[in-house]
Amino acid sequence: EKGLKWRLTLELLREMSQRQLPPSTVGHSAAMRACERSNHWEATLFLLRLMAGQLVRPNEISYSTCISACATCTQWELAAFLMLELASSQLA
């Protein structure tokens, strides 16, 4: 069941977009958390980058979720890069 939740959250985001519902930081961060829990760091990173494309501003939770997903899946360089990106943003 846990392995399917990340797919369902991505589908929900897609459906919200199709219904022209405004994207939100909370919605994207929740979807990122579901991907992180299922060890899908690529999907977590995709959602972080998608936020910028949809003019949704990521917050500290968005970044920390993505950093955690990358670190858990031994994507250390990417996790370090995201930490630097967060530190240089206006969020830090």
Side-chain angles (χ1 to χ4, degrees):
E1 181 179 318
K2 180 177 160 182
L4 295 177
K5 286 183 182 179
W6 72 278
R7 290 180 192 225
L8 293 173
T9 58
L10 293 179
E11 181 62 29
L12 182 59
L13 283 179
R14 186 183 67 75
E15 188 174 319
M16 289 173 65
S17 176
Q18 287 179 338
R19 293 180 184 223
Q20 299 180 351
L21 296 170
S24 71
T25 301
V26 172
H28 278 72
S29 294
M32 290 171 68
R33 181 72 176 130
C35 294
E36 177 205 14
R37 287 182 174 177
S38 297
N39 295 323
H40 289 282
W41 67 269
E42 300 98 332
T44 307
L45 180 62
F46 171 77
L47 289 170
L48 183 68
R49 297 305 181 215
L50 181 66
M51 291 173 83
Q54 293 182 338
L55 303 177
V56 176
R57 186 177 170 140
N59 59 17
E60 294 90 350
I61 295 169
S62 308
Y63 270 98
S64 69
T65 300
C66 194
I67 291 166
S68 175
C70 291
T72 300
C73 295
T74 65
Q75 299 296 317
W76 304 110
E77 290 179 10
L78 187 52
F81 175 80
L82 290 168
M83 289 172 66
L84 290 173
E85 187 176 292
L86 174 60
S88 67
S89 73
Q90 294 179 348
L91 298 175

